[in-house]
DNA sequence: TCAGTGAGTGGACGTATGTTCACTGATGAG
DNA sequence: CTCATCAGTGAACATACGTCCACTCACTGA
Protein backbone atom coordinates (compact mmCIF):
# COMPACT_ATOMS: atom_id res chain seq x y z
CA UNK A 1 0.00 0.00 0.00
CA UNK A 2 2.82 2.39 -0.70
CA UNK A 3 1.85 5.85 -1.77
CA UNK A 4 3.55 8.10 -4.24
CA UNK A 5 4.95 11.34 -2.95
CA UNK A 6 4.76 13.19 -6.23
CA UNK A 7 2.04 15.75 -6.88
CA UNK A 8 -1.30 14.40 -7.97
CA UNK A 9 -1.27 16.46 -11.14
CA UNK A 10 -2.49 15.06 -14.41
CA UNK A 11 0.14 14.12 -16.95
CA UNK A 12 -1.39 10.69 -16.38
CA UNK A 13 -0.41 8.95 -19.59
CA UNK A 14 2.92 7.19 -19.26
CA UNK A 15 5.35 8.90 -21.60
CA UNK A 16 7.64 6.42 -23.29
CA UNK A 17 9.81 9.11 -24.85
CA UNK A 18 11.15 9.60 -21.37
CA UNK A 19 14.87 9.31 -20.78
CA UNK A 20 15.64 5.78 -19.73
CA UNK A 21 15.07 5.41 -16.00
CA UNK A 22 15.96 2.91 -13.31
CA UNK A 23 13.62 -0.04 -13.12
CA UNK A 24 11.79 0.69 -9.88
CA UNK A 25 11.30 4.29 -10.81
CA UNK A 26 9.87 3.31 -14.16
CA UNK A 27 7.44 0.96 -12.46
CA UNK A 28 6.31 3.68 -10.10
CA UNK A 29 5.75 5.81 -13.19
CA UNK A 30 3.04 3.61 -14.67
CA UNK A 31 1.60 2.96 -11.25
CA UNK A 32 1.14 6.70 -10.89
CA UNK A 33 -0.33 6.81 -14.37
CA UNK A 34 -2.95 4.25 -13.35
CA UNK A 35 -3.84 6.16 -10.20
CA UNK A 36 -4.00 9.44 -12.08
CA UNK A 37 -6.14 7.83 -14.75
CA UNK A 38 -8.69 6.76 -12.16
CA UNK A 39 -8.75 10.25 -10.65
CA UNK A 40 -9.05 11.83 -14.05
CA UNK A 41 -12.05 9.65 -14.92
CA UNK A 42 -13.73 10.58 -11.66
CA UNK A 43 -13.06 14.21 -12.47
CA UNK A 44 -15.18 13.68 -15.57
CA UNK A 45 -18.17 12.85 -13.43
CA UNK A 46 -17.83 9.11 -13.00
CA UNK A 47 -18.06 7.39 -9.64
CA UNK A 48 -15.14 5.21 -8.64
CA UNK A 49 -16.72 1.81 -8.56
CA UNK A 50 -18.21 2.27 -12.00
CA UNK A 51 -14.70 2.51 -13.43
CA UNK A 52 -13.50 -0.48 -15.39
CA UNK A 53 -10.03 -1.93 -15.29
CA UNK A 54 -9.64 -1.65 -19.07
CA UNK A 55 -10.94 1.90 -19.00
CA UNK A 56 -8.33 2.92 -16.46
CA UNK A 57 -5.48 1.30 -18.36
CA UNK A 58 -6.70 2.88 -21.58
CA UNK A 59 -6.52 6.36 -20.08
CA UNK A 60 -3.17 5.53 -18.49
CA UNK A 61 -1.84 4.58 -21.93
CA UNK A 62 -1.01 1.04 -20.98
CA UNK A 63 -2.25 -2.43 -21.88
CA UNK A 64 -4.94 -3.97 -19.61
CA UNK A 65 -2.77 -6.81 -18.34
CA UNK A 66 -0.20 -4.35 -17.03
CA UNK A 67 -2.69 -3.40 -14.38
CA UNK A 68 -2.08 -6.65 -12.52
CA UNK A 69 1.60 -5.84 -12.10
CA UNK A 70 0.50 -3.11 -9.68
CA UNK A 71 -2.90 -3.97 -8.20
CA UNK A 72 -4.82 -7.19 -7.89
CA UNK A 73 -8.05 -5.41 -8.84
CA UNK A 74 -9.60 -1.95 -9.06
CA UNK A 75 -10.64 -2.08 -5.43
CA UNK A 76 -7.03 -2.28 -4.35
CA UNK A 77 -6.29 0.81 -6.38
CA UNK A 78 -9.21 2.46 -4.62
CA UNK A 79 -7.67 1.72 -1.24
CA UNK A 80 -4.43 3.35 -2.34
CA UNK A 81 -6.50 6.35 -3.36
CA UNK A 82 -8.01 6.43 0.11
CA UNK A 83 -4.54 6.37 1.62
CA UNK A 84 -3.36 9.19 -0.62
CA UNK A 85 -6.40 11.26 0.20
CA UNK A 86 -5.81 10.68 3.88
CA UNK A 87 -2.31 12.05 3.46
CA UNK A 88 -3.72 15.10 1.76
CA UNK A 89 -6.07 15.70 4.67
CA UNK A 90 -3.24 15.28 7.12
CA UNK A 91 -1.11 17.68 5.12
CA UNK A 92 -3.83 20.30 5.32
CA UNK A 93 -3.91 20.01 9.09
CA UNK A 94 -0.14 20.23 9.27
CA UNK A 95 -0.05 23.39 7.17
CA UNK A 96 -2.78 24.93 9.29
CA UNK A 97 -0.75 24.08 12.38
CA UNK A 98 2.35 25.71 10.96
CA UNK A 99 0.48 28.86 9.96
CA UNK A 100 -1.17 29.09 13.39
CA UNK A 101 -4.65 30.39 14.06
CA UNK A 102 -5.22 33.83 12.55
CA UNK A 103 -6.33 36.16 15.33
CA UNK A 104 -8.57 38.48 13.34
CA UNK A 105 -11.43 37.03 11.30
CA UNK A 106 -10.23 33.59 12.21
CA UNK A 107 -13.15 31.64 10.80
CA UNK A 108 -13.45 33.53 7.53
CA UNK A 109 -9.73 33.24 6.92
CA UNK A 110 -9.83 29.55 7.66
CA UNK A 111 -12.72 29.00 5.28
CA UNK A 112 -10.84 30.84 2.55
CA UNK A 113 -7.70 28.83 3.12
CA UNK A 114 -9.77 25.67 3.11
CA UNK A 115 -11.38 26.56 -0.19
CA UNK A 116 -8.00 27.22 -1.75
CA UNK A 117 -6.71 23.93 -0.44
CA UNK A 118 -9.71 22.02 -1.77
CA UNK A 119 -9.31 23.57 -5.20
CA UNK A 120 -5.62 22.76 -5.40
CA UNK A 121 -6.32 19.17 -4.30
CA UNK A 122 -9.52 18.87 -6.27
CA UNK A 123 -9.13 15.23 -7.24
CA UNK A 124 -8.58 13.91 -3.74
CA UNK A 125 -11.48 15.87 -2.28
CA UNK A 126 -13.66 14.81 -5.14
CA UNK A 127 -12.82 11.22 -4.38
CA UNK A 128 -13.34 11.48 -0.62
CA UNK A 129 -16.53 13.51 -0.78
CA UNK A 130 -17.90 11.28 -3.51
CA UNK A 131 -17.10 7.87 -2.07
CA UNK A 132 -17.57 8.71 1.61
CA UNK A 133 -21.14 7.54 1.41
CA UNK A 134 -22.34 5.48 -1.48
CA UNK A 135 -19.45 3.65 -3.04
CA UNK A 136 -18.36 0.11 -2.35
CA UNK A 137 -18.58 -0.79 1.35
CA UNK A 138 -14.89 -1.61 1.71
CA UNK A 139 -13.79 1.74 0.32
CA UNK A 140 -16.43 3.59 2.28
CA UNK A 141 -15.23 2.09 5.53
CA UNK A 142 -11.61 2.82 4.66
CA UNK A 143 -12.53 6.45 4.10
CA UNK A 144 -14.43 6.49 7.35
CA UNK A 145 -11.30 5.36 9.17
CA UNK A 146 -9.25 8.05 7.51
CA UNK A 147 -11.78 10.76 8.34
CA UNK A 148 -12.10 9.54 11.92
CA UNK A 149 -8.36 9.78 12.29
CA UNK A 150 -8.48 13.26 10.82
CA UNK A 151 -11.13 14.28 13.34
CA UNK A 152 -8.96 12.95 16.16
CA UNK A 153 -5.98 14.99 15.01
CA UNK A 154 -8.07 18.09 14.62
CA UNK A 155 -9.49 17.56 18.10
CA UNK A 156 -6.00 17.33 19.50
CA UNK A 157 -4.94 20.48 17.67
CA UNK A 158 -7.93 22.43 18.91
CA UNK A 159 -7.32 21.32 22.45
CA UNK A 160 -3.78 22.63 22.36
CA UNK A 161 -5.02 25.91 20.96
CA UNK A 162 -7.34 26.11 23.99
CA UNK A 163 -10.07 27.82 22.02
CA UNK A 164 -12.80 25.97 23.87
CA UNK A 165 -11.54 25.49 27.42
CA UNK A 166 -15.08 24.73 28.52
CA UNK A 167 -15.32 21.53 26.47
CA UNK A 168 -14.49 18.03 27.64
CA UNK A 169 -12.38 15.99 25.21
CA UNK A 170 -15.49 14.07 24.12
CA UNK A 171 -17.46 17.21 23.46
CA UNK A 172 -14.57 18.79 21.64
CA UNK A 173 -14.43 15.76 19.38
CA UNK A 174 -18.15 16.01 18.77
CA UNK A 175 -17.68 19.62 17.69
CA UNK A 176 -14.83 18.67 15.38
CA UNK A 177 -16.90 15.92 13.83
CA UNK A 178 -19.63 18.45 13.15
CA UNK A 179 -17.16 20.87 11.57
CA UNK A 180 -15.53 18.16 9.47
CA UNK A 181 -18.84 16.83 8.18
CA UNK A 182 -19.94 20.34 7.36
CA UNK A 183 -16.73 21.23 5.58
CA UNK A 184 -16.50 17.97 3.67
CA UNK A 185 -19.95 18.65 2.35
CA UNK A 186 -18.83 22.18 1.62
CA UNK A 187 -16.07 20.69 -0.51
CA UNK A 188 -18.73 19.24 -2.80
CA UNK A 189 -20.28 22.70 -3.12
CA UNK A 190 -16.91 24.24 -3.85
CA UNK A 191 -15.97 21.69 -6.47
CA UNK A 192 -19.37 21.83 -8.17
CA UNK A 193 -19.36 25.62 -8.45
CA UNK A 194 -18.12 26.60 -11.93
CA UNK A 195 -15.24 29.07 -11.69
CA UNK A 196 -15.78 32.68 -12.66
CA UNK A 197 -19.12 33.28 -11.02
CA UNK A 198 -17.78 35.68 -8.43
CA UNK A 199 -21.11 36.62 -6.87
CA UNK A 200 -22.16 33.06 -6.25
CA UNK A 201 -18.72 32.19 -4.93
CA UNK A 202 -19.00 34.98 -2.38
CA UNK A 203 -22.47 33.85 -1.35
CA UNK A 204 -21.17 30.34 -0.95
CA UNK A 205 -18.25 31.49 1.14
CA UNK A 206 -20.54 33.54 3.37
CA UNK A 207 -22.75 30.54 3.84
CA UNK A 208 -19.86 28.32 4.89
CA UNK A 209 -18.51 31.00 7.18
CA UNK A 210 -21.87 31.43 8.85
CA UNK A 211 -22.28 27.73 9.42
CA UNK A 212 -18.90 27.36 11.07
CA UNK A 213 -19.45 30.51 13.08
CA UNK A 214 -22.72 29.15 14.34
CA UNK A 215 -21.08 25.90 15.37
CA UNK A 216 -18.32 27.78 17.20
CA UNK A 217 -20.88 29.98 18.87
CA UNK A 218 -22.66 26.92 20.13
CA UNK A 219 -19.38 25.36 21.20
CA UNK A 220 -18.41 28.38 23.27
CA UNK A 221 -21.70 28.22 25.12
CA UNK A 222 -21.71 24.47 25.56
CA UNK A 223 -21.80 23.15 29.12
CA UNK A 224 -21.15 19.48 29.53
CA UNK A 225 -23.21 19.29 32.73
CA UNK A 226 -26.34 19.68 30.60
CA UNK A 227 -25.64 16.36 28.98
CA UNK A 228 -24.78 14.18 31.95
CA UNK A 229 -28.42 13.19 32.61
CA UNK B 1 -42.25 10.85 -14.08
CA UNK B 2 -45.24 9.46 -12.24
CA UNK B 3 -44.52 7.90 -8.88
CA UNK B 4 -46.12 4.86 -7.31
CA UNK B 5 -48.05 5.42 -4.14
CA UNK B 6 -47.61 1.91 -2.85
CA UNK B 7 -45.11 1.17 -0.08
CA UNK B 8 -41.52 0.73 -1.12
CA UNK B 9 -41.35 -2.71 0.39
CA UNK B 10 -39.56 -5.51 -1.34
CA UNK B 11 -41.70 -8.18 -2.98
CA UNK B 12 -39.83 -6.90 -6.01
CA UNK B 13 -40.23 -9.86 -8.34
CA UNK B 14 -43.33 -9.61 -10.47
CA UNK B 15 -45.58 -12.51 -9.53
CA UNK B 16 -47.30 -14.01 -12.52
CA UNK B 17 -49.53 -16.26 -10.45
CA UNK B 18 -51.37 -13.07 -9.56
CA UNK B 19 -55.06 -12.88 -10.21
CA UNK B 20 -55.59 -11.30 -13.60
CA UNK B 21 -55.53 -7.53 -13.31
CA UNK B 22 -56.54 -4.59 -15.47
CA UNK B 23 -53.89 -3.58 -17.97
CA UNK B 24 -52.61 -0.34 -16.49
CA UNK B 25 -52.43 -1.80 -13.05
CA UNK B 26 -50.46 -4.76 -14.35
CA UNK B 27 -48.02 -2.39 -16.04
CA UNK B 28 -47.55 -0.41 -12.85
CA UNK B 29 -46.80 -3.73 -11.19
CA UNK B 30 -43.70 -4.51 -13.22
CA UNK B 31 -42.66 -0.89 -13.12
CA UNK B 32 -42.67 -1.10 -9.36
CA UNK B 33 -40.76 -4.37 -9.60
CA UNK B 34 -38.05 -2.64 -11.61
CA UNK B 35 -37.80 0.24 -9.14
CA UNK B 36 -37.75 -2.14 -6.19
CA UNK B 37 -35.10 -4.24 -7.90
CA UNK B 38 -32.83 -1.21 -8.22
CA UNK B 39 -33.37 -0.32 -4.57
CA UNK B 40 -32.76 -3.90 -3.50
CA UNK B 41 -29.47 -4.01 -5.39
CA UNK B 42 -28.35 -0.78 -3.74
CA UNK B 43 -29.31 -2.27 -0.41
CA UNK B 44 -26.74 -4.98 -1.13
CA UNK B 45 -23.99 -2.38 -1.23
CA UNK B 46 -23.98 -1.36 -4.87
CA UNK B 47 -24.01 2.26 -6.00
CA UNK B 48 -26.79 3.26 -8.36
CA UNK B 49 -24.85 4.11 -11.46
CA UNK B 50 -22.99 0.84 -11.36
CA UNK B 51 -26.27 -1.00 -11.82
CA UNK B 52 -26.86 -2.54 -15.21
CA UNK B 53 -30.14 -2.63 -17.06
CA UNK B 54 -30.02 -6.40 -17.42
CA UNK B 55 -29.13 -6.79 -13.77
CA UNK B 56 -32.17 -4.80 -12.72
CA UNK B 57 -34.54 -6.71 -14.95
CA UNK B 58 -33.07 -9.99 -13.75
CA UNK B 59 -33.83 -9.14 -10.14
CA UNK B 60 -37.24 -7.84 -11.13
CA UNK B 61 -37.99 -11.18 -12.77
CA UNK B 62 -38.54 -9.76 -16.20
CA UNK B 63 -36.84 -9.90 -19.59
CA UNK B 64 -34.33 -7.09 -20.37
CA UNK B 65 -36.32 -5.61 -23.23
CA UNK B 66 -39.30 -5.07 -20.96
CA UNK B 67 -37.33 -2.34 -19.27
CA UNK B 68 -37.82 -0.04 -22.26
CA UNK B 69 -41.60 -0.19 -21.86
CA UNK B 70 -41.13 1.84 -18.68
CA UNK B 71 -37.89 3.83 -18.85
CA UNK B 72 -35.70 4.93 -21.71
CA UNK B 73 -32.59 4.05 -19.70
CA UNK B 74 -31.41 3.43 -16.16
CA UNK B 75 -30.85 7.13 -15.57
CA UNK B 76 -34.55 7.79 -16.06
CA UNK B 77 -35.33 5.16 -13.45
CA UNK B 78 -32.86 6.97 -11.19
CA UNK B 79 -34.75 10.22 -11.58
CA UNK B 80 -37.97 8.50 -10.58
CA UNK B 81 -36.13 7.21 -7.54
CA UNK B 82 -35.12 10.78 -6.71
CA UNK B 83 -38.73 11.88 -7.00
CA UNK B 84 -39.90 9.06 -4.75
CA UNK B 85 -37.24 9.85 -2.19
CA UNK B 86 -38.26 13.49 -2.27
CA UNK B 87 -41.81 12.44 -1.44
CA UNK B 88 -40.52 10.40 1.46
CA UNK B 89 -38.66 13.42 2.81
CA UNK B 90 -41.74 15.58 2.40
CA UNK B 91 -43.84 12.95 4.17
CA UNK B 92 -41.46 13.02 7.12
CA UNK B 93 -41.87 16.76 7.42
CA UNK B 94 -45.63 16.47 7.17
CA UNK B 95 -45.80 13.86 9.91
CA UNK B 96 -43.57 15.99 12.11
CA UNK B 97 -45.88 18.93 11.48
CA UNK B 98 -48.94 16.91 12.45
CA UNK B 99 -47.31 15.61 15.63
CA UNK B 100 -46.20 19.09 16.63
CA UNK B 101 -43.00 19.92 18.46
CA UNK B 102 -42.63 17.94 21.68
CA UNK B 103 -42.10 20.40 24.51
CA UNK B 104 -39.95 18.26 26.77
CA UNK B 105 -36.69 16.81 25.44
CA UNK B 106 -37.60 18.17 22.05
CA UNK B 107 -34.31 17.43 20.34
CA UNK B 108 -33.77 13.94 21.70
CA UNK B 109 -37.35 12.99 20.84
CA UNK B 110 -36.91 14.37 17.34
CA UNK B 111 -33.69 12.46 16.81
CA UNK B 112 -35.38 9.25 17.92
CA UNK B 113 -38.33 9.80 15.64
CA UNK B 114 -35.93 10.59 12.81
CA UNK B 115 -33.99 7.39 13.37
CA UNK B 116 -37.19 5.36 13.33
CA UNK B 117 -38.26 7.07 10.13
CA UNK B 118 -34.91 6.44 8.47
CA UNK B 119 -35.02 2.76 9.39
CA UNK B 120 -38.54 2.30 8.09
CA UNK B 121 -37.61 4.07 4.85
CA UNK B 122 -34.15 2.58 4.67
CA UNK B 123 -34.00 2.21 0.89
CA UNK B 124 -34.87 5.80 0.09
CA UNK B 125 -32.42 7.21 2.61
CA UNK B 126 -29.77 4.83 1.41
CA UNK B 127 -30.32 6.12 -2.09
CA UNK B 128 -30.34 9.81 -1.18
CA UNK B 129 -27.39 9.66 1.19
CA UNK B 130 -25.42 7.54 -1.25
CA UNK B 131 -26.04 9.47 -4.44
CA UNK B 132 -26.16 12.97 -2.98
CA UNK B 133 -22.49 13.36 -3.68
CA UNK B 134 -20.69 11.04 -6.00
CA UNK B 135 -23.13 9.49 -8.41
CA UNK B 136 -23.90 10.66 -11.91
CA UNK B 137 -24.07 14.47 -12.19
CA UNK B 138 -27.66 14.53 -13.42
CA UNK B 139 -28.93 12.47 -10.50
CA UNK B 140 -26.80 14.36 -8.04
CA UNK B 141 -28.25 17.66 -9.16
CA UNK B 142 -31.79 16.28 -9.05
CA UNK B 143 -31.20 15.19 -5.47
CA UNK B 144 -29.77 18.58 -4.67
CA UNK B 145 -32.97 20.20 -5.90
CA UNK B 146 -35.08 17.89 -3.81
CA UNK B 147 -32.98 18.53 -0.69
CA UNK B 148 -33.01 22.28 -1.27
CA UNK B 149 -36.77 22.17 -1.47
CA UNK B 150 -36.87 20.13 1.72
CA UNK B 151 -34.71 22.72 3.45
CA UNK B 152 -37.05 25.47 2.31
CA UNK B 153 -40.06 23.66 3.72
CA UNK B 154 -38.31 22.98 6.97
CA UNK B 155 -37.31 26.63 7.19
CA UNK B 156 -40.91 27.65 6.73
CA UNK B 157 -42.08 25.19 9.39
CA UNK B 158 -39.51 26.39 11.88
CA UNK B 159 -40.45 29.98 11.26
CA UNK B 160 -44.08 29.27 12.05
CA UNK B 161 -43.06 27.47 15.21
CA UNK B 162 -41.19 30.65 16.19
CA UNK B 163 -38.44 28.73 17.93
CA UNK B 164 -35.79 31.18 16.77
CA UNK B 165 -37.47 34.60 16.71
CA UNK B 166 -34.03 36.20 16.60
CA UNK B 167 -33.16 34.78 13.19
CA UNK B 168 -33.73 36.44 9.84
CA UNK B 169 -35.23 34.16 7.18
CA UNK B 170 -31.82 33.79 5.55
CA UNK B 171 -30.14 32.83 8.79
CA UNK B 172 -32.91 30.45 9.66
CA UNK B 173 -32.41 28.76 6.32
CA UNK B 174 -28.69 28.54 6.97
CA UNK B 175 -29.43 26.80 10.26
CA UNK B 176 -31.81 24.38 8.58
CA UNK B 177 -29.25 23.57 5.94
CA UNK B 178 -26.76 22.77 8.67
CA UNK B 179 -29.25 20.53 10.44
CA UNK B 180 -30.27 18.76 7.24
CA UNK B 181 -26.69 18.11 6.18
CA UNK B 182 -25.89 16.81 9.64
CA UNK B 183 -28.90 14.56 9.79
CA UNK B 184 -28.51 13.23 6.26
CA UNK B 185 -25.01 12.23 7.15
CA UNK B 186 -26.41 10.78 10.36
CA UNK B 187 -28.69 8.63 8.20
CA UNK B 188 -25.58 6.95 6.76
CA UNK B 189 -24.41 6.22 10.31
CA UNK B 190 -27.79 4.84 11.26
CA UNK B 191 -28.07 2.62 8.21
CA UNK B 192 -24.52 1.34 8.53
CA UNK B 193 -24.89 0.38 12.19
CA UNK B 194 -25.75 -3.33 12.43
CA UNK B 195 -28.90 -3.86 14.50
CA UNK B 196 -28.62 -5.40 17.95
CA UNK B 197 -25.63 -3.48 19.25
CA UNK B 198 -27.57 -1.54 21.81
CA UNK B 199 -24.62 0.22 23.44
CA UNK B 200 -23.27 1.56 20.18
CA UNK B 201 -26.75 2.60 19.11
CA UNK B 202 -27.13 4.63 22.28
CA UNK B 203 -23.74 6.25 21.81
CA UNK B 204 -24.68 7.11 18.26
CA UNK B 205 -27.98 8.60 19.33
CA UNK B 206 -26.26 10.69 21.99
CA UNK B 207 -23.80 11.93 19.42
CA UNK B 208 -26.54 13.01 17.03
CA UNK B 209 -28.49 14.63 19.85
CA UNK B 210 -25.46 16.58 20.98
CA UNK B 211 -24.70 17.82 17.50
CA UNK B 212 -28.22 19.09 16.95
CA UNK B 213 -28.29 20.59 20.43
CA UNK B 214 -25.09 22.42 19.72
CA UNK B 215 -26.48 23.81 16.49
CA UNK B 216 -29.65 24.94 18.24
CA UNK B 217 -27.61 26.49 21.02
CA UNK B 218 -25.67 28.46 18.45
CA UNK B 219 -28.87 29.41 16.66
CA UNK B 220 -30.46 30.81 19.81
CA UNK B 221 -27.45 33.02 20.39
CA UNK B 222 -27.08 34.13 16.78
CA UNK B 223 -27.31 37.83 16.07
CA UNK B 224 -27.59 38.81 12.45
CA UNK B 225 -25.98 42.20 13.06
CA UNK B 226 -22.66 40.43 13.55
CA UNK B 227 -22.74 39.36 9.94
CA UNK B 228 -23.70 42.56 8.17
CA UNK B 229 -20.10 43.73 7.76
C1' DT C 1 -68.05 -10.22 -30.85
C1' DC C 2 -63.94 -8.84 -32.89
C1' DA C 3 -60.05 -6.01 -34.26
C1' DG C 4 -56.16 -3.29 -32.28
C1' DT C 5 -53.28 -2.10 -28.68
C1' DG C 6 -49.35 -2.79 -26.13
C1' DA C 7 -46.85 -5.27 -22.12
C1' DG C 8 -43.92 -8.90 -22.07
C1' DT C 9 -41.02 -12.53 -24.77
C1' DG C 10 -36.90 -14.64 -26.85
C1' DG C 11 -33.28 -14.51 -29.96
C1' DA C 12 -29.66 -12.14 -32.09
C1' DC C 13 -26.23 -8.39 -32.85
C1' DG C 14 -21.98 -5.87 -31.80
C1' DT C 15 -19.22 -4.33 -28.32
C1' DA C 16 -17.27 -4.20 -23.76
C1' DT C 17 -15.58 -6.36 -19.92
C1' DG C 18 -12.11 -9.14 -16.54
C1' DT C 19 -8.70 -12.62 -16.64
C1' DT C 20 -5.39 -16.17 -18.72
C1' DC C 21 -1.29 -17.08 -21.04
C1' DA C 22 3.06 -17.20 -23.53
C1' DC C 23 5.94 -13.66 -25.21
C1' DT C 24 9.55 -9.81 -25.46
C1' DG C 25 13.27 -7.13 -24.32
C1' DA C 26 15.51 -3.70 -21.48
C1' DT C 27 17.51 -3.56 -16.79
C1' DG C 28 20.64 -4.63 -13.29
C1' DA C 29 23.29 -8.06 -10.54
C1' DG C 30 27.22 -11.27 -10.66
C1' DC D 1 29.94 -9.82 -20.65
C1' DT D 2 26.10 -12.86 -19.35
C1' DC D 3 22.04 -14.10 -17.85
C1' DA D 4 17.99 -14.09 -14.81
C1' DT D 5 14.34 -10.87 -13.68
C1' DC D 6 10.13 -8.77 -14.49
C1' DA D 7 7.32 -4.52 -16.33
C1' DG D 8 4.88 -4.32 -20.23
C1' DT D 9 2.83 -6.70 -24.59
C1' DG D 10 -0.75 -8.77 -27.57
C1' DA D 11 -3.80 -12.39 -28.67
C1' DA D 12 -7.45 -15.13 -27.00
C1' DC D 13 -11.22 -16.66 -23.85
C1' DA D 14 -15.77 -16.65 -21.69
C1' DT D 15 -19.14 -13.63 -20.16
C1' DA D 16 -21.66 -9.67 -19.69
C1' DC D 17 -23.62 -5.73 -21.48
C1' DG D 18 -27.18 -2.38 -24.13
C1' DT D 19 -30.12 -2.35 -27.90
C1' DC D 20 -32.83 -4.03 -31.92
C1' DC D 21 -36.34 -6.89 -33.89
C1' DA D 22 -40.27 -9.82 -34.87
C1' DC D 23 -43.35 -12.15 -32.22
C1' DT D 24 -47.25 -13.58 -28.84
C1' DC D 25 -51.47 -13.06 -26.85
C1' DA D 26 -54.46 -11.12 -23.06
C1' DC D 27 -56.86 -7.19 -22.39
C1' DT D 28 -59.56 -3.23 -24.05
C1' DG D 29 -62.99 -0.46 -26.38
C1' DA D 30 -66.24 -0.08 -29.98
Amino acid sequence: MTVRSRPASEPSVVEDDEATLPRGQRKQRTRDALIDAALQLMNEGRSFNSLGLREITRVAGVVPTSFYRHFKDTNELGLVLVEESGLTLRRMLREARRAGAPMKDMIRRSVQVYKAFVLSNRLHFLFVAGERSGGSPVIRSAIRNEVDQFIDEMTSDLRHLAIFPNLSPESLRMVCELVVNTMLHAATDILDLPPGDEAQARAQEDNHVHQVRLIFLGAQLWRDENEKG
Side-chain angles (χ1 to χ4, degrees), chain A:
Chain A
M1 288 286 163
T2 321
V3 159
R4 66 228 169 109
S5 51
R6 286 314 180 79
S9 53
E10 330 183 20
S12 194
V13 178
V14 55
E15 309 157 28
D16 47 359
D17 57 0
E18 205 72 57
T20 301
L21 287 171
R23 262 262 256 263
Q25 212 160 328
R26 199 139 182 93
K27 176 169 183 178
Q28 188 70 20
R29 199 76 143 202
T30 65
R31 203 183 114 107
D32 288 359
L34 289 169
I35 295 176
D36 287 341
L39 287 170
Q40 180 182 329
L41 283 166
M42 299 184 71
N43 194 33
E44 289 160 10
R46 312 277 313 278
S47 83
F48 176 76
N49 68 347
S50 79
L51 301 183
L53 179 152
R54 288 181 106 105
E55 195 178 8
I56 293 173
T57 59
R58 204 180 305 126
V59 171
V62 118
V63 96
T65 41
S66 276
F67 188 92
Y68 297 108
R69 301 278 182 210
H70 305 276
F71 313 99
K72 83 176 222 294
D73 53 28
T74 50
N75 236 322
E76 191 172 296
L77 192 159
L79 291 178
V80 172
L81 234 32
V82 173
E83 204 182 344
E84 275 202 17
S85 304
L87 283 185
T88 295
L89 290 179
R90 232 86 53 82
R91 188 160 45 86
M92 177 171 68
L93 221 42
R94 183 153 35 86
E95 291 183 9
R97 214 175 294 135
R98 254 181 22 111
M103 48 248 70
K104 187 72 176 158
D105 254 347
M106 176 180 88
I107 291 177
R108 168 152 256 125
R109 296 283 261 270
S110 299
V111 165
Q112 286 166 344
V113 167
Y114 176 72
K115 175 178 177 180
F117 192 85
V118 166
L119 287 176
S120 64
N121 296 276
R122 149 177 266 276
L123 300 179
H124 281 163
F125 278 92
L126 209 126
F127 174 72
V128 170
E131 305 298 316
R132 191 153 89 106
S133 33
S136 86
V138 40
I139 289 193
R140 186 169 69 225
S141 99
I143 291 185
R144 177 187 292 256
N145 285 342
E146 218 68 51
V147 171
D148 279 351
Q149 204 172 326
F150 176 80
I151 294 174
D152 286 339
E153 278 194 41
M154 180 172 167
T155 304
S156 158
D157 283 7
L158 275 198
R159 180 167 52 245
H160 289 95
L161 287 178
I163 300 184
F164 301 114
N166 53 314
L167 295 187
S168 70
E170 298 76 29
S171 293
L172 185 56
R173 194 189 193 282
M174 180 268 290
V175 171
C176 287
E177 191 185 327
L178 193 49
V179 171
V180 168
N181 284 340
T182 302
M183 291 317 279
L184 276 184
H185 184 264
T188 310
D189 292 345
I190 291 169
L191 293 173
D192 275 348
L193 191 69
D197 188 339
E198 202 49 51
Q200 204 170 341
R202 217 187 329 269
Q204 183 182 88
E205 180 185 305
D206 284 348
N207 193 36
H208 296 154
V209 168
H210 291 171
Q211 294 191 350
V212 178
R213 240 178 226 160
L214 186 123
I215 293 173
F216 273 39
L217 187 54
Q220 282 167 339
L221 276 284
W222 187 266
R223 292 289 169 262
D224 276 308
E225 307 86 69
N226 305 340
E227 308 301 327
K228 285 297 162 57

